[in-house]
Amino acid sequence: MNISVINYDILDSTNSEALKQARLGAAEGLCISARQQTAGRGRHGRIWISEVDAGLCFSIILRPKIETKYLPLITLMSGIAVHQTLKELGLNPDIKWVNDILINDKKICGILAETTDSELGLAVIVGIGLNILSSNYPPEMTETATSIENESASQTHPSTLKNQLISILIANISKFYHILSQKNGHLAIVDDWSKRSSFVRGKEVRVNLHDEVFTGITDGLEESGALKLILPDGSVRIINSGEVGRVRAQNI
Ligand code: BTN
């Protein structure tokens, strides 16, 4: 994949800009980064706060050639790439299905994958928001959110750290995207993700769907990346990554 990065001082959303570029025919590998977002978007229609120079706001255009049923695995692949990047910075991250990256049970990074059609075919935009400084989120979120500043003893200047993060992240996205694109790559991604997540098995979680809330015990992933749950009555329920819903551990 040929990588090129465009850096902006300010954007509404790096995902919105990447979607626009993808529709205009931008090639796979174009990355959009911004020092600040005025309308950063999270999953389920939430806003993603992005204070100037306090976090990584990064989106990459992918044009996957994998079977449609495996497209949800792009999200898991991206989670693996972020997890690996944080490990390489000496941190000890965890992944909560489907794509929250946690440190010490607090969220440090969120991933929003969106698709669009274009003349070049389907494009997937992977947007990554990572807290570098704690000023990236409001004080009332300190119980549930964290930052590299909080979790690392490193004195590296935030802008140097951001450049390091971007280059390690791009290398990891390229690596794991390549793995996903190969024959049986979906199995390798499911296996790798499962090894990195303490949530994959035996965790009691609460699932919030549109109009339904229920609890269950996690029991691994399906080949598509969907989460398997054992419900209190012993039945099995599959939570698709395509569904609008989220899983939260009860104590988070
Ligand atoms: C989540 O809700 O956990 C996902 C948050 C994703 C935020 C990132 S920041 C860069 C990119 N641009 C956006 O507008 N959103 C994503």
Side-chain angles (χ1 to χ4, degrees), residues 188-246:
I189 292 299
V190 164
D191 187 50
D192 190 334
W193 192 95
S194 301
K195 287 185 183 136
R196 290 170 189 266
S197 171
S198 75
F199 287 81
V200 72
R201 268 178 215 284
K203 270 266 166 94
E204 187 172 22
V205 291
R206 180 180 291 121
V207 181
N208 292 277
L209 298 182
H210 289 298
D211 49 2
E212 219 189 340
V213 180
F214 54 91
T215 58
I217 306 285
T218 58
D219 191 31
L221 299 184
E222 297 284 284
E223 277 190 19
S224 63
L227 181 65
K228 209 167 134 188
L229 284 188
I230 311 288
L231 301 191
D233 66 2
S235 62
V236 173
R237 180 143 179 190
I238 306 297
I239 313 299
N240 286 293
S241 43
E243 274 185 277
V244 181
R246 62 189 171 129

Side-chain angles (χ1 to χ4, degrees), residues 49 51 106 134-145 150:
I49 300 165
E51 297 297 336
K106 295 182 178 182
S134 304
S135 53
N136 205 42
Y137 51 85
E140 60 268 24
M141 282 174 68
T142 41
E143 290 298 307
T144 53
N150 265 359

Side-chain angles (χ1 to χ4, degrees), residues 13-15 37 40-43 48 58-59 107 110-111 127-129:
S13 151
T14 56
N15 261 35
Q37 295 181 127
R41 290 185 285 111
R43 297 177 66 231
W48 182 264
F58 174 91
S59 302
K107 182 161 166 172
I111 300 171
I128 296 169

Side-chain angles (χ1 to χ4, degrees), residues 12-16 32 37 39-44 46-50 56-59 99-100 107 109-114 126-130:
D12 52 353
S13 151
T14 56
N15 261 35
S16 300
I32 307 288
Q37 295 181 127
R41 290 185 285 111
R43 297 177 66 231
H44 314 303
R46 292 189 293 259
I47 58 163
W48 182 264
I49 300 165
S50 322
L56 177 76
C57 309
F58 174 91
S59 302
N99 57 4
D100 284 347
K107 182 161 166 172
C109 175
I111 300 171
L112 176 68
E114 299 180 293
V126 175
I128 296 169
L130 192 145

